[in-house]
Amino acid sequence: MKNRVQSLDYLRGLAAFSIMVYHYFTWSSYKLGADTFAGRTGIYGVSVFYVLSGLTLFIVYNNSLSPQNTGHYFVKRIFRIFPLLWLSIFVSVVLLNFKTNLSDLLLNLTGLFGFFAPDHYIAVASWSIGNELVFYTIFPLVIFSGRKTQFAPALFFALAAGLTLFFAYSVLATNLTLKMQWSHYLNPLNQLVLFSGGLLCGQLLAGKKVPLPYALLLLASALLLFVFYPVKGDLSALIAGNNRIIFVLLSLGITASFLMIDFKTGKITGYVLSTLGEASYSVYLLHPLVFLMLKKYAGFSNHKTLIYTGFAITLLLSILVYHFYEKPFIRLGQRLIDYWKQKQSYAMRVQK
């Protein structure tokens, strides 16, 4: 699975980059509607993140997760997610003077806002992190259920799809703007279909050889529909009704095709995509902070200067933050797990 996971890293990096592009242009007063590629990737780039989460977690943990080592799984998730989340909250509150209260601050620092108040996030892009934490909590239950019945991932997906249908046709509407419906759209129950879909893709496709022509056909078809499917107007047109169902399926199809295809890239291209994939979490959480800091403290009056300077600083800073901030915490989490394992092993030897 090494090459396939590498291809998923490529997609993760491209999704993070596309979200940054979307935000920087919309925040600079450029109008990106439902008919634009940037507008679509701005919305469904996050959706791809959710699919990737379900897919990669299934690949890593399907055969290894057990009730005995579930604690290790949560330790890894905590040390992967929270340090950068805390940093983004700190910058937002202290350096950018975001207004908050003690209740919301505690919800954000603990990650519980995704469970109890999804729209009370502090850092600009962190709403999706709250959703991810909800999904991470549910994930072991689905895996353990899958040990009893192989249909557990499919049932989980069917339940999540039902919730999405409810949101698409009863809660969200195309005649209202996305901004007006934002608190409903970001609800984890509305986004769960993407994570569960990724998990189901893992069960159906991980480790299986799919003929390359079929995989390429899926990728080409999904990308062409994603770009040219006729939708106009506000971005709300992408998140409600039939269009919501279509773009969810396209997000699943694009991600599944990246799993199936062993992309042959040159050394430079592979290095750039791999580096972007590694730093994608930093790109995602830091790009709003870089933009707002430049706007507040650098005083750029030219939108294009702000945008392209922001791109450069975000990418460089994200790579540095990944290597010198994220990775040390990831290693610390692994050391705690190793210590835990050694202690358990010693206790078992003593009992014998």
Side-chain angles (χ1 to χ4, degrees), residues 34-35 40 224-231 242-243 246-247 250:
D35 58 332
R40 296 179 182 195
L224 286 172
L225 281 171
F226 188 89
V227 174
F228 295 109
Y229 182 78
V231 184
N242 295 336
N243 294 336
I246 290 169
F247 278 91
L250 292 177

Side-chain angles (χ1 to χ4, degrees), residues 206-283:
K208 296 179 175 63
K209 188 69 174 179
V210 177
L212 182 60
Y214 294 148
L216 290 174
L217 178 61
L218 174 62
L219 176 60
S221 301
L223 285 176
L224 286 172
L225 281 171
F226 188 89
V227 174
F228 295 109
Y229 182 78
V231 184
K232 294 183 179 181
D234 187 82
L235 292 174
S236 61
L238 300 172
I239 65 163
N242 295 336
N243 294 336
R244 172 62 171 169
I245 310 307
I246 290 169
F247 278 91
V248 164
L249 292 175
L250 292 177
S251 300
L252 291 170
I254 291 170
T255 308
S257 66
F258 268 74
L259 173 67
M260 291 184 251
I261 300 172
D262 179 11
F263 289 95
K264 302 297 184 182
T265 59
K267 288 186 177 180
I268 296 178
T269 303
Y271 176 78
V272 170
L273 290 175
S274 296
T275 300
L276 185 59
E278 288 178 340
S280 59
Y281 184 37
S282 286
V283 172

Side-chain angles (χ1 to χ4, degrees), residues 78-282:
I78 289 170
F79 279 85
R80 182 68 185 93
I81 296 298
F82 279 93
L84 191 58
L85 176 62
W86 289 337
L87 178 62
S88 68
I89 293 170
F90 174 83
V91 173
S92 299
V93 173
V94 176
L95 299 182
L96 293 171
N97 300 316
F98 281 22
K99 302 301 180 184
T100 187
N101 54 59
L102 181 59
S103 176
D104 285 347
L105 182 61
L106 290 175
L107 284 174
N108 277 258
L109 292 175
T110 58
L112 294 176
F113 67 100
F115 295 85
F116 301 109
D119 58 341
H120 286 211
Y121 57 95
I122 294 175
V124 172
S126 63
W127 65 271
S128 67
I129 308 306
N131 285 350
E132 290 278 18
L133 293 173
V134 174
F135 304 156
Y136 293 160
T137 303
I138 297 172
F139 174 74
L141 301 177
V142 181
I143 292 298
F144 296 151
S145 298
R147 307 279 165 76
K148 297 181 179 180
T149 171
Q150 63 178 335
F151 300 110
L155 293 172
F156 179 44
F157 177 72
L159 172 63
L163 291 169
T164 292
L165 290 172
F166 170 71
F167 275 87
Y169 293 105
S170 299
V171 178
L172 301 169
T174 57
N175 61 337
L176 301 175
T177 66
L178 176 61
K179 184 177 181 180
M180 294 170 65
Q181 306 175 87
W182 184 244
S183 62
H184 296 307
Y185 173 72
L186 59 75
N187 191 304
L189 295 179
N190 183 41
Q191 307 294 337
L192 186 60
V193 67
L194 296 151
F195 179 83
S196 65
L199 200 157
L200 183 59
C201 285
Q203 183 191 41
L204 297 175
L205 299 172
K208 296 179 175 63
K209 188 69 174 179
V210 177
L212 182 60
Y214 294 148
L216 290 174
L217 178 61
L218 174 62
L219 176 60
S221 301
L223 285 176
L224 286 172
L225 281 171
F226 188 89
V227 174
F228 295 109
Y229 182 78
V231 184
K232 294 183 179 181
D234 187 82
L235 292 174
S236 61
L238 300 172
I239 65 163
N242 295 336
N243 294 336
R244 172 62 171 169
I245 310 307
I246 290 169
F247 278 91
V248 164
L249 292 175
L250 292 177
S251 300
L252 291 170
I254 291 170
T255 308
S257 66
F258 268 74
L259 173 67
M260 291 184 251
I261 300 172
D262 179 11
F263 289 95
K264 302 297 184 182
T265 59
K267 288 186 177 180
I268 296 178
T269 303
Y271 176 78
V272 170
L273 290 175
S274 296
T275 300
L276 185 59
E278 288 178 340
S280 59
Y281 184 37
S282 286

Side-chain angles (χ1 to χ4, degrees), residues 11-21 45 49 276 279-281 283-284 287:
L11 180 58
R12 186 178 289 107
L14 291 171
F17 186 83
S18 69
I19 294 166
M20 176 179 67
V21 171
F49 278 155
L276 185 59
S280 59
Y281 184 37
V283 172
Y284 179 70
H287 80 268

